[in-house]
Amino acid sequence: MTGIRPPGLTDREWVTRAVADAEIPALMVALADALGDDSMVPDDLRPPNRKVALPEAQGGLSQQQQTIARGRAVDGVLRLLAGDDRVAPKSKGDKGFRRRLMDYLIGDVDGSLLKLLDRELGYESAEAEPAAVGALAEDFTVAIIGGGMSGIAMAYRLKRAGIPFVILEKNHDMGGTWLENVYPGVRLDTNNFAYGFSFAQTKDWTHQFSEGSTILEYFRSLCDSENLWPHFRFSTRVDAATFDATTGSWTLEVTSDGVADTVTARALVSAVGQLNLPKLPDIVGVGEFSGLEMHSARWDPNVDLVGQRVAVIGTGASAYQVVPAIAADVEQLHVFQRTAPWIMPTRGYYEPLKPGFAWLLQVVPNYERWFRFWQFWTATEGRLPYVGVDPEWKEPGSVSAANRELREVLESRIREQFTDREDLMAQVIPDYPPGAKRMLRDGGAWSTTLKRDNVGLHTEGIRSIEPTGISTVDGSLIEVDVIIYCTGFQAANSLDPIRITGLEGLSLKEHWSGDPRAYLGITIPHFPNLYCLYGPNTNLVVNGSATFMTEAAVDYILASITTMIREGYRYLDCTPEALERFIADVDSANAERAWGVESVTSWYKSSSGRVSQVWPYDLTTYWNLTRDVDLDDYTVVVENGT
Ligand code: NAP
């Protein structure tokens, strides 16, 4: 880190520069904690932005507050550097102080959040609970399908718990979505401090929103540090899984490097994710184009787009990253938009961390953890109140007064970017409520790209794909060399490619019939000892990080598996009643969210129209629900019978 400090500065001068780059509210808390000094977090320097439509810089602290806070922070950092103050965080042994710091940062302290904070700060080790099961686990193998984010989280925790496991991965390497999505421009749309695992936080991010390759490396580093590699079976596709009630185990039919094989395991964890099956659009002529057609998730890095006439179909999260990344290379770029996306202006979306901030992360204990927690709360949980449906609300384009407030803020930010292009303005303002689909991180590149001379935005609707290009409903034919389908994924069908057979020969594909349902998004009646990660009803639209949901589900699965091992159960089968109760609850809650409104279609809904993919509540609710396995929710089959 010394490399980023310009030579010739005194310590005070350098620290003053560094603090100018800092994210102040989290820095004040980290310093208060490290120094045991609550003068760092006085009431008159509290960040006023908590639950706001769009978080302001520095939590909404005024310039004057920022100046005062920075002055104190500089003194605090110098005290830390001098080494004559305490460096063990005071909050570790002092719950009252912990609460005080949390209250300063987010103001919304309740008991369960404090517990969550303990985990975030590393005070309550995730790996410590449930305790390792030792020799009892010897005969109990877990098979994980998929070595992406969720599979790695599960593997990491199983390894720590001493439970044998294998990860069956269809690709040649780990990484899942981050391995497969290599389209130009791919990067996180959740702040990476919040996207990393609570149990493997790092100070070493180079950006707040990292590129895909950096995330892949983050997961690779966990496979290295935990020595997960021997547990992987790469190039191994799971074709079928059948449960045997007499042994309480799953038999998997796999194709490994082209050779058929079988694998048996007592528990089966699906970590295939919701976004692993690319969806091609239901447009006449797909597949009949004479040029190159490519889905965003099947990007061929060898394709050279320089000088090509390219069409991109779709304006969702993937297109929003692809389009700006390729526009300068191609000769012409035709963007086909069916529905305009809502965008979320994000300061520094593409920029590397400011050097002073990066340095402070290294020298102030737990700064990265407090920053993550602050991000988690204000940028994720804080948004939820803006997407609730008011049944009395009649205004089109919003679902409540708060939602209209969000619309106004976001719409004004879109308008600002298109004042010089009235022709585009009408096309880029969405007509549906914000929050009904994922809002896209905007660093300004989308508007700049759409205004380029070689880029055209088409909203007239596609009639068909022809051998030479795209024909639109107004009768034009737009001739292109390449078509890129940024048309998303078949989320509700993501487990369909695997023939999964549960009790009494029940087929999961037929049972779900395109409308997946799992208790807590994890367990499914009649499919004992089968667990889903990032399963049905666990995706987040506005408030979240998928890793958070996965970690919570991993806790639950681990608790279930260790209970089975300790008690010698043959299997646990979720009761239909528990599932029905859960589904009735999430269905009614989803109906009260912007993404549940009937008029909006999205990948969150199954073919029946039910919101099958999204979690409707806040993250802490899910966290609380996944702390313990209530055996009343399960039929427990012991070794010698029911
Ligand atoms: P998506 O959000 O489902 O977007 C698909 C796009 O294709 C939409 O604009 C859709 O229009 C359009 N489309 C679909 N069928 C069409 C048709 N027949 N004719 C015309 N247009 C059609 O898919 P995605 O962009 O791949 O993103 C999926 C999810 O992946 C995201 O919601 C996000 O959770 C995740 N993701 C994350 C990142 C990240 O973290 N950086 C990046 C990419 C994706 P309509 O809106 O009208 O249906």
Side-chain angles (χ1 to χ4, degrees), residues 554-569:
V554 165
D555 287 344
Y556 184 89
I557 295 170
L558 215 53
S560 175
I561 287 174
T562 49
T563 301
M564 247 190 304
I565 294 173
R566 277 210 195 88
E567 305 299 327
Y569 296 153

Side-chain angles (χ1 to χ4, degrees), residues 183 187 189 275 282 315-318 321 338-339 437 486 488 603:
Y183 57 76
R187 70 168 57 233
D189 68 359
L275 302 169
D282 47 358
T315 51
S318 301
Q321 299 183 328
R338 188 165 66 178
T339 309
K437 297 177 187 238
C486 291
W603 64 266

Side-chain angles (χ1 to χ4, degrees), residues 417-418 420-421 424 446-453 455:
Q417 298 189 48
F418 287 94
D420 53 341
R421 288 291 300 271
L424 285 173
W446 184 251
S447 58
T448 314
T449 305
L450 291 189
K451 292 181 207 170
R452 288 178 64 98
D453 290 342
V455 176

Side-chain angles (χ1 to χ4, degrees), residues 297-562:
R298 294 288 177 270
W299 195 272
D300 178 353
N302 299 316
V303 168
D304 184 3
L305 294 178
V306 173
Q308 303 280 311
R309 296 167 303 165
V310 178
V312 170
I313 300 182
T315 51
S318 301
Y320 209 73
Q321 299 183 328
V322 170
V323 166
I326 63 173
D329 290 339
V330 303
E331 185 187 310
Q332 287 169 21
L333 183 53
H334 300 276
V335 181
F336 288 85
Q337 172 185 284
R338 188 165 66 178
T339 309
W342 277 110
I343 62 175
M344 201 167 28
T346 303
R347 284 175 300 276
Y349 183 53
Y350 303 103
E351 275 104 64
L353 293 188
K354 292 183 181 160
F357 178 43
W359 179 78
L360 287 164
L361 286 166
Q362 301 294 329
V363 298
V364 179
N366 278 353
Y367 184 19
E368 81 286 4
R369 289 177 183 263
W370 282 108
F371 179 65
R372 169 184 152 104
F373 187 70
W374 183 47
Q375 280 293 315
F376 156 75
W377 185 256
T378 53
T380 62
E381 293 296 64
R383 283 193 206 119
L384 207 51
Y386 288 87
V387 294
V389 172
D390 172 356
E392 306 297 319
W393 192 258
K394 297 283 179 271
E395 262 183 50
S398 56
V399 291
S400 66
N403 190 246
R404 183 180 60 187
E405 188 192 326
L406 178 62
R407 161 178 272 281
E408 284 166 358
V409 174
L410 298 179
E411 193 176 317
S412 72
R413 303 300 285 274
I414 299 175
R415 287 185 184 282
E416 278 165 22
Q417 298 189 48
F418 287 94
T419 44
D420 53 341
R421 288 291 300 271
E422 282 296 326
D423 57 321
L424 285 173
M425 186 89 85
Q427 293 169 294
V428 294
I429 296 183
D431 57 6
Y432 62 91
K437 297 177 187 238
R438 192 162 178 87
M439 296 188 275
L440 309 181
R441 291 278 180 189
D442 183 49
W446 184 251
S447 58
T448 314
T449 305
L450 291 189
K451 292 181 207 170
R452 288 178 64 98
D453 290 342
N454 68 335
V455 176
L457 182 64
H458 301 268
T459 54
E460 57 272 29
I462 299 172
R463 190 174 59 192
S464 60
I465 309 286
E466 301 295 329
T468 56
I470 294 177
S471 140
T472 56
V473 290
D474 63 3
S476 320
L477 173 67
I478 294 150
E479 297 200 331
V480 292
D481 307 306
V482 179
I483 299 178
I484 299 166
Y485 297 110
C486 291
T487 43
F489 300 86
Q490 304 171 56
N493 303 91
S494 58
L495 266 174
D496 281 6
I498 306 174
R499 283 176 282 115
I500 299 177
T501 309
L503 293 173
E504 291 161 17
L506 196 62
S507 145
L508 184 64
K509 185 175 172 183
E510 285 169 24
H511 183 57
W512 272 355
S513 204
D515 185 18
R517 294 156 189 256
Y519 177 56
L520 301 173
I522 303 173
T523 52
I524 309 155
H526 316 301
F527 296 84
N529 299 10
L530 169 65
Y531 305 91
C532 298
L533 284 171
Y534 192 24
N537 288 113
T538 63
N539 181 65
L540 302 161
V541 184
V542 295
N543 60 315
S545 151
T547 48
F548 181 94
M549 298 298 277
T550 284
E551 275 196 48
V554 165
D555 287 344
Y556 184 89
I557 295 170
L558 215 53
S560 175
I561 287 174
T562 49

Side-chain angles (χ1 to χ4, degrees), residues 213-252:
S213 55
T214 306
I215 302 302
L216 197 61
E217 286 316 306
Y218 169 72
F219 291 128
R220 195 179 301 288
S221 72
L222 298 186
C223 294
D224 288 341
S225 65
E226 294 304 304
N227 194 21
L228 298 180
W229 298 116
H231 300 269
F232 276 101
R233 276 185 69 176
F234 289 119
S235 305
T236 300
R237 191 187 66 223
V238 179
D239 301 314
T242 306
F243 186 69
D244 179 351
T246 57
T247 56
S249 60
W250 285 92
T251 301
L252 313 185

